[in-house]
């Protein structure tokens, strides 16, 4: 059985192709979405998802989120005594989803389709594969998230030629893809995006506006108290503000106005915000959304009127101001009848069904595009002048993959012995502004300048992996690229080492997770509330701890259910 996984910045989901349709697998708490949050509890045991999210506020040093943003980089996160790479944190989320799927299916699961933003580069894709490996999953295919959204809508089953634009605004990334379907072939015509733009930025904008509001002295109070210039990342007040801003943002999706309320050191701060004001505050973000849309249209040589359908995906596309902006931009209403949070995971399950060869699914051929231009550094001669560090594109962005392209280069100086092929990704004419992927040194016979020719061939696979091969004309020898200087990627030895380190981690026992979640929730609420409510929550904690000591599972389950009802009442409908 192959499972489909949407490994998201804020939330992750797991889905299956079962009885001829895609179904989301609920997690151990009965929820479809698992927050992409990892933490350690007091015993040093790993918690993933909701129980970890409940601890984000009280134990920011032991909890981490948004690590998908650092996939493919060397940035590590310290949780308690141990440092984690982003692949390892993602692996812990994947492992939790894998456990949920195994429990649901009653069999072991070892293969998965994992989705990635279309905009993920080679290193980020490799890191995602490694995360799968560290979680004990063979990654059959990395599927671009927008392609997943199209599959979920069944767009691949249309009988007429159509063109769709997928607008996917998640927690941390924005992707635009233009897909074309003809003769059973689904082709990504163009994909563009912004790796650092998502729902979280709308939260940040709200926090800034709140803190800069007239008469709001919270920032000064905090910086004075702590003798610092800014809020420290991950600090408790920052977490409180983020949580409240998230609540306000969601409330504004269904209501015309909302109250931003924060209590800090016995002082209360309040701000009434209208949807119109929210729109004004996030105007710069709305403008940034237009850039990738325009680029995708330009690259695919299409006009908005050529598009048959606009599909909204990603939780942040729920915001009415985003929907209005899309409707205005395209002059029509976008398709929103499926849950935008679940689209990508459902699409991954459809792909899993296709991979498993389910007869109910029509055979479709899917093609993707390479999201960036891939090229090499060359020198150019202008008369007597030599300019180096010039970019020579080999595979142009938005070429359909798999693709293989070659370019020939000649030696620049007399008796040159080495031609060094530096591989870059990016769009700038100066290689220094592009991303360096790796380097290959090709020995050449010493001859006069221009007499030796080297052919550089790049092959980009459907999984977004790049291979470079160089041959010197007249020589049968092929030099294949081994990317050595790839700071964001682990070597196979390092993967093995990480795997053994990860296996030493204690994972919080699954059967206790529901109780832990309830306890964590109560502890968070105890800290958040004051006075009578706080005392009441304190009593509830004591009662539950006593119940837990009985080890009578029937009594504990009943008590937990009752308690959660009481907690729901306290948090009211505003609870996220
Ligand atoms: P995803 O990465 O697709 O799970 O998207 C998560 C993002 O969607 C987060 O930034 C959420 O704040 C945002 N989101 C989810 N539901 C809503 C809603 N009702 N209104 C506004 N934003 C939402």
């Amino acid at each position: 059985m192959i499972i489909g996984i949407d490994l998201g910045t804020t939330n992750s989901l797991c889905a299956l192709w079962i009885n001829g349709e895609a179904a989301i697998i609920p997690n151990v708490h009965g929820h479809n979405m698992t927050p992409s949050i990892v933490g350690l509890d007091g015993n040093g045991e790993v918690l993933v998802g909701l129980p970890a999210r409940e601890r984000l506020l009280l134990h920011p040093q032991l909890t981490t989120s948004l690590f998908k943003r650092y996939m493919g980089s060397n940035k590590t996160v310290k949780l308690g005594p141990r440092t984690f790479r982003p692949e390892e944190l993602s692996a812990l989320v994947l492992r939790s989803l894998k456990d949920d799927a195994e429990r649901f299916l009653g069999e072991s699961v070892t293969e998965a389709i994992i989705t990635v933003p279309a905009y993920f580069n080679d290193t980020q894709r490799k890191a995602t594969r490694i995360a799968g490996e560290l979680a004990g999953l063979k990654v059959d295919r990395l599927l671009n998230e927008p392609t997943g959204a199209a599959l979920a809508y069944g767009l691949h089953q249309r009988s007429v030629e159509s063109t769709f634009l997928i607008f996917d605004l998640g927690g941390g990334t924005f992707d635009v893809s233009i897909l074309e379907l003809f003769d059973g072939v689904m082709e990504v015509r163009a994909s563009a995006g912004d790796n650092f733009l998502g729902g979280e930025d709308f939260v940040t904008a709200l926090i800034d506006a709140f803190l800069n509001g007239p008469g709001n002295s919270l920032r000064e109070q905090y910086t004075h108290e702590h003798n610092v210039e800014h809020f420290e990342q991950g600090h408790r007040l920052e977490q409180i503000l983020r949580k409240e801003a998230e609540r306000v943002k969601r409330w504004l999706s269904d209501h015309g106005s909302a109250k931003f309320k924060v209590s800090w050191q016995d002082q209360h701060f309040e701000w009434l915000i209208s949807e119109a004001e929210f729109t004004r505050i996030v105007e710069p973000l709305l403008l940034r959304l237009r850039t990738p849309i325009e680029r995708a249209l330009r690259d695919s040589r299409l006009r908005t009127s050529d598009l048959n359908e606009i599909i909204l995906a990603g939780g942040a596309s729920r915001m009415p101001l985003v929907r209005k902006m899309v409707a205005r931009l395209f002059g029509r209403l976008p398709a929103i009848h499926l849950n935008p949070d679940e689209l990508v995971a459902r699409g991954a399950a459809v792909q899993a069904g296709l991979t498993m060869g389910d007869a109910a699914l029509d055979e479709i051929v899917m093609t993707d595009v390479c999201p960036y231009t891939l090229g090499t550094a060359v020198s150019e001669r202008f008369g007597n002048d030599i300019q180096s560090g010039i970019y020579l594109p080999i595979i142009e962005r938005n070429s359909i993959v798999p693709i293989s392209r070659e370019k020939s280069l000649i030696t620049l100086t007399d008796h040159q012995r080495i031609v060094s092929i530096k591989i870059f990704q990016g769009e700038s004419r100066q290689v220094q502004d592009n991303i360096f992927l790796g380097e290959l040194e090709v020995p050449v016979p010493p001859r006069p300048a221009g007499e030796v020719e080297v052919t550089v061939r790049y092959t980009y696979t459907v999984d977004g992996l790049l291979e470079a091969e160089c041959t010197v004309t007249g020589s049968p020898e092929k030099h294949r690229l081994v990317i050595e200087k790839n700071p964001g990627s682990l070597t196979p030895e390092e993967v093995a080492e990480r795997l053994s380190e990860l296996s030493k981690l204690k994972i919080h026992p699954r059967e206790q997770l529901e109780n832990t979640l309830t306890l964590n929730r109560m502890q968070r609420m105890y800290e958040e509330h004051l006075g009578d409510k706080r005392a009441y929550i304190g009593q509830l904690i004591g009662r539950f701890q006593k119940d837990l000591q009985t080890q009578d599972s029937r009594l504990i389950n009943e008590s937990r259910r009752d308690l959660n009802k009481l907690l729901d009442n306290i948090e009211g409908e505003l609870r996220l």
Side-chain angles (χ1 to χ4, degrees), residues 408-409 445 447 452-455 471-476:
S408 292
L409 309 173
R447 299 260 169 76
V452 182
E453 188 185 51
V454 176
T455 304
T471 37
V472 180
T473 307
S475 154

Side-chain angles (χ1 to χ4, degrees), residues 103-134:
R103 198 179 57 127
F104 183 86
L105 284 166
E107 59 180 83
S108 85
V109 172
T110 52
E111 287 177 60
I113 307 279
I114 302 181
T115 59
V116 286
Y119 230 58
F120 254 22
N121 64 30
D122 189 47
T123 320
Q124 291 164 308
R125 283 168 198 263
K126 280 200 187 107
T128 307
R129 277 185 175 275
I130 288 173
E133 208 179 309
L134 292 177

Side-chain angles (χ1 to χ4, degrees), residues 54-55 58 514-529 533-534 536-548 559-560 562-564 566-568 570-571 575:
E54 289 292 5
R55 287 171 59 85
L58 302 190
E514 279 292 87
N515 297 336
T516 306
L517 172 61
T518 304
L519 263 180
N520 289 353
R521 183 180 178 195
M522 288 194 288
Q523 266 146 7
R524 167 185 54 82
M525 288 173 66
Y526 181 85
E527 294 237 355
E528 279 173 356
H529 290 86
K533 248 186 211 152
R534 174 177 245 195
Y536 177 57
I537 298 166
Q539 278 171 16
L540 295 181
I541 295 177
R543 199 174 90 192
F544 192 48
Q545 279 168 335
K546 203 160 132 259
D547 291 342
L548 287 175
S559 163
R560 193 183 59 234
D562 291 349
L563 272 175
N564 273 306
L566 292 174
L567 300 176
D568 283 347
I570 298 174
E571 296 209 285
R575 206 171 86 82

